[in-house]
Amino acid sequence: MEQFERARLDSYFARIAHTFAPTEPPSSFLVTHLLPERPSFVRAIGTATRLRAVLPKPKSIDVAARREIEKTTQCDTLSRELFEDAESAVDYIESRAAAEAVVLCDVGGYFAPTLDALCDRFPAESWASSRTRRTGTSGMPSGTNSPAPSSPSPDRR
């Protein structure tokens, strides 16, 4: 990945993270592909939340991306078995975010088998109600526009 491409991604995700960061950030867990461009996205999640762990999808880990992320964030081993059993899933989340509001960012449905148990153990009422008070019913902060950047001209680098 070229340096200008990385800078563009960093800038884009930083704008998103700062625009939509909650006043009381929840803890988060991120299941994702760790491709060369992914550190920008991971940093943005870490800006908007208290990122407790990145769980890279086992078949798509770029070694350099993982090393970069490990400098600032815990990277744990991901397996379907970790989240198949409700007790082990709750234990895992509690070991990193006990008694905290939690957001699960999941590519691939890893949390799906135990989602009910996780929701029972980590209810979102307090965080969701403070977000509703601050943002209204749309979920978007008052006075904000779509965060998507305008398309740059093809020759702009």
Side-chain angles (χ1 to χ4, degrees):
M1 170 172 263
E2 302 262 348
Q3 190 64 32
F4 77 90
E5 293 170 312
R6 180 175 295 264
R8 186 171 173 207
L9 277 174
D10 283 343
S11 173
Y12 172 74
F13 283 121
R15 281 196 317 264
I16 298 294
H18 285 54
T19 300
F20 295 101
T23 55
E24 297 174 34
S27 291
S28 67
F29 295 83
L30 175 62
V31 173
T32 187
H33 301 277
L34 273 190
L35 303 173
E37 81 286 346
R38 202 52 50 113
S40 297
F41 176 69
V42 172
R43 278 191 293 279
I45 295 290
T47 297
T49 69
R50 290 183 305 266
L51 184 56
R52 298 301 187 201
V54 173
L55 296 115
K57 294 187 69 141
K59 295 181 181 174
S60 57
I61 299 174
D62 178 81
V63 176
R66 183 178 180 124
R67 267 185 281 190
E68 184 176 342
I69 289 167
E70 286 177 327
K71 290 177 184 174
T72 59
T73 305
Q74 175 72 35
C75 280
D76 291 336
T77 302
L78 177 64
S79 70
R80 293 267 177 207
E81 294 77 28
L82 178 61
F83 298 107
E84 281 180 352
D85 174 65
E87 188 174 329
S88 68
V90 168
D91 287 348
Y92 171 77
I93 300 295
E94 279 186 334
S95 72
R96 287 153 181 77
E100 297 177 11
V102 172
V103 171
L104 305 174
C105 307
D106 185 1
V107 173
Y110 281 82
F111 294 114
T114 55
L115 196 53
D116 288 338
L118 291 169
C119 288
D120 288 345
R121 177 60 188 91
F122 298 94
E125 289 87 18
S126 62
W127 185 72
S129 64
S130 70
R131 179 172 172 77
T132 302
R133 281 194 303 274
R134 204 177 72 260
T135 63
T137 57
S138 71
M140 301 282 283
S142 305
T144 60
N145 297 320
S146 170
S150 59
S151 298
S153 62
D155 59 338
R156 199 173 117 196
R157 293 190 181 194

